[in-house]
Amino acid sequence: MKNRHFILAALLLALAGSCSPKNEEVQDEQVEVNSPSEGLDSIAITKKDALKTDENEINPTMPLPPPVLRLLSERYPGFKQPTLSAGVRAMADAHEQGPYIVRGDFNGDTRQDYALQLQQDRNVIVLAILDAGNGNWDVHELQKDILFNDRGELKSLYYLYLTEIGEEIMDPATNEVFEAPHDAVSVGIEKNTTTYVYQSGSFEAYSPR
């Protein structure tokens, strides 16, 4: 009887031993566990790739539609956002929009237009860009000036802000006051401001009231 029990136990142990490696082998093939460092590397690569697809290679600091940025790159090669002098930043803080870019409906067609200042070489250029529809954009150059040399660093003395439809504007030639027929672009330098109003296909310069 003891011999039978001993033989039965030996058979059970042999069967368990022969099945166990196969089960472990199947589990190893089905589940692949990376080391902690490999897992972190894969996460880092995913994040870098995601950021790379969202980068704007033309000018990542200017929040403008890609077609507008491409147009600016063609017309003003090497353009970038200018550095503002400290005094300009203080004056620009009084306005909701600006000092680099303003958005509004400048020609009354209900589409969103843009105005901005950019740096090209040693110049600061103020532009209005109108959405003409069907993927077309009209570029109007409002001002161009040489950047201020602040101890070897080129800086802009200009700031932009939005003059909204209905605000009072003065015609310096006649001293007459009228209401802005639609949004307008105001460009300030120190205590002087010029407001550009779109009329009859072009921008005319006026003074804010």
Side-chain angles (χ1 to χ4, degrees):
M1 193 70 159
K2 289 182 180 180
N3 289 336
R4 289 180 182 177
H5 289 163
F6 177 79
I7 292 171
L8 182 59
L11 288 172
L12 289 174
L13 286 173
L15 287 172
S18 63
C19 293
S20 179
K22 290 183 179 179
N23 290 338
E24 290 177 1
E25 186 177 346
V26 170
Q27 291 174 358
D28 289 341
E29 290 175 355
Q30 291 176 343
V31 181
E32 294 182 5
V33 180
N34 293 334
S35 66
S37 61
E38 290 174 348
L40 291 174
D41 288 343
S42 64
I43 293 172
I45 291 170
T46 301
K47 288 184 177 180
K48 287 177 183 176
D49 290 342
L51 287 172
K52 189 174 292 185
T53 58
D54 195 37
E55 281 180 356
N56 178 348
E57 295 179 355
I58 300 174
N59 196 315
T61 59
M62 286 191 170
L64 294 168
V68 173
L69 289 169
R70 285 193 292 269
L71 180 61
L72 291 176
S73 184
E74 292 171 0
R75 296 198 180 190
Y76 302 93
F79 83 92
K80 63 181 180 179
Q81 182 172 283
T83 301
L84 300 182
S85 66
V88 170
R89 284 193 169 278
M91 299 188 72
D93 287 342
H95 304 280
E96 288 186 13
Q97 291 198 47
Y100 296 106
I101 298 174
V102 294
R103 301 167 179 81
D105 178 13
F106 300 138
N107 57 357
D109 64 358
T110 71
R111 287 190 286 262
Q112 180 170 267
D113 307 310
Y114 300 88
L116 67 144
Q117 60 171 313
L118 59 81
Q119 176 182 343
Q120 186 187 37
D121 299 326
R122 301 179 67 86
N123 298 315
V124 57
I125 305 169
V126 179
L127 303 171
I129 305 175
L130 306 182
D131 184 352
N134 298 320
N136 298 312
W137 299 85
D138 295 332
V139 180
H140 299 260
E141 193 168 299
L142 306 181
Q143 286 186 218
K144 185 174 182 179
D145 200 358
I146 297 174
L147 288 161
F148 174 65
N149 192 329
D150 185 7
R151 290 173 289 184
E153 185 177 0
L154 297 176
K155 295 182 178 181
S156 172
L157 300 177
Y158 293 92
Y159 60 95
L160 276 62
Y161 66 91
L162 181 69
T163 294
E164 296 184 0
I165 182 173
E167 290 191 37
E168 290 188 341
I169 298 174
M170 186 180 69
D171 186 344
T174 62
N175 289 330
E176 293 183 357
V177 177
F178 64 96
E179 291 185 353
H182 31 71
D183 295 334
V185 183
S186 289
V187 183
I189 178 171
E190 295 182 345
K191 294 183 179 180
N192 299 316
T193 303
T194 301
T195 298
Y196 292 91
V197 180
Y198 188 81
Q199 296 175 319
S200 303
S202 63
F203 282 89
E204 302 292 335
Y206 297 99
S207 300
R209 179 70 187 275

